[in-house]
């Protein structure tokens, strides 16, 4: 069995998604047009081909291996999750010189259109490039304060000429004063690339706290809850847990990892944590139901409450809420979208079948 083809949705479903340019299928499959020799994303804005002239592939590499060329309009080799080259160059420049102030004139000198950059950062980070830079510098200041650096030094090291300006910017970004931040728990976040689109990962010293697709509608509410209810100070950054989940996700999507080992920290009610613990007991390549989980918790009438806790899970894929289906076998809801849920289940099912011995 070939895991590349096993993860494809049903043919009729892919035809419908292609004709409708359904963004929920971005990264789930690629369309290859036999009459032109070109392959595209399902959301390509070019004139739609006749369904009988199209074949579908799970990965861009498969299209290339079959002799197809990448579409110049939708650029399928630039996966939706991956920052384009000009953004990657800029991010490397920021890492090399974190204190540099990037003006629009400097961006233009580097061949970067400021408005285009603003739109990209708003779409993928939820803030402008300059706001991201400012938050990043304040995150460094937060780390310094946590290590005992005085607020005065943290302010001036961050490029602020006045303490009042620093305090105002700090409180606006982190919803807490610099003084109180010294006793708070910093929650660092980074953007990750996946075949199903960009994700955001957040981790503190005890483990991974959040892993969500960036287009999840509930993401803003989840981050605000972490800030307001659990006292986290959220800032751009990186740590060992974020590096580990990035590596493990890559192996998972390649079909080479069936169990995550990254440390987790799951703030929530006692019942929610019990449900999330049960989710982690569902084996790779298998599914369960809300009713089964409720029964395992000794509360057979709590299916609805289990479903609510399942929906509040902040750790997509790692705490596998996608493995919970309806009692009738339907996919039911999923915060990342049902096409992604179906993709993940097909991926895991294919991985299990590949490891099973052949029957003769």
């Amino acid at each position: 069995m070939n895991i590349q083809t096993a993860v494809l949705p049903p043919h009729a479903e892919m035809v419908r998604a292609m004709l409708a340019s359904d963004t929920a299928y971005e990264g789930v499959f690629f369309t290859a047009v036999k009459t032109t020799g070109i392959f595209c994303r399902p959301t390509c804005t070019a004139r739609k081909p006749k369904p009988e002239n199209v074949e579908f592939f799970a990965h861009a590499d498969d299209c290339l291996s079959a002799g197809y060329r990448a579409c110049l309009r939708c650029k399928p080799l630039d996966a939706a999750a991956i920052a384009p080259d000009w953004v990657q160059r800029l991010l490397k420049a920021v890492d090399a010189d974190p204190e540099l102030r990037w003006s629009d004139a400097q961006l233009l000198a580097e061949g970067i259109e400021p408005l285009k950059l603003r739109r990209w950062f708003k779409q993928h980070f939820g803030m402008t490039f300059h706001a991201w830079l400012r938050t990043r510098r304040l995150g460094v200041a937060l780390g310094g304060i946590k290590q005992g650096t005085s607020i005065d030094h943290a302010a001036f090291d961050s490029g602020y000429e006045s303490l009042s300006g620093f305090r105002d910017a700090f409180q606006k970004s982190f919803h807490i004063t610099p003084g109180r931040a010294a006793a708070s728990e910093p929650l660092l976040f980074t953007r990750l690339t996946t075949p199903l689109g960009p994700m955001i990962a957040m981790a503190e010293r005890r483990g991974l706290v959040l892993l969500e697709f960036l287009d999840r509608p509930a993401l803003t509410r989840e981050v605000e809850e972490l800030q307001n209810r659990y006292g986290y100070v959220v800032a751009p950054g990186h740590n060992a847990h974020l590096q580990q989940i990035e590596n493990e996700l890559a192996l998972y999507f390649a079909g080479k990892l069936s169990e995550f080992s990254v440390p987790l920290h799951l703030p929530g009610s006692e019942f929610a944590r019990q449900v999330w613990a049960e989710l982690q007991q569902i084996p790779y390549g298998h599914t369960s139901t809300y009713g089964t989980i409720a029964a395992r918790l000794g509360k057979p009438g709590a299916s609805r409450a289990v479903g609510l806790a399942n929906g509040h899970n902040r750790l997509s894929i790692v705490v596998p809420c996608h493995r919970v289906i309806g009692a009738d076998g339907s996919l039911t809801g999923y915060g990342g979208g049902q096409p992604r849920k179906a993709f993940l289940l097909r991926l895991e099912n294919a991985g299990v079948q590949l490891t099973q011995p052949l029957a003769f």
Side-chain angles (χ1 to χ4, degrees), residues 58-76:
H59 299 278
D61 288 350
D62 299 333
C63 299
L64 294 171
S65 298
Y68 289 97
R69 307 185 311 277
C71 174
L72 296 178
R73 178 174 294 189
C74 67
K75 299 181 179 179

Side-chain angles (χ1 to χ4, degrees), residues 79 128 154 207 291:
T128 66

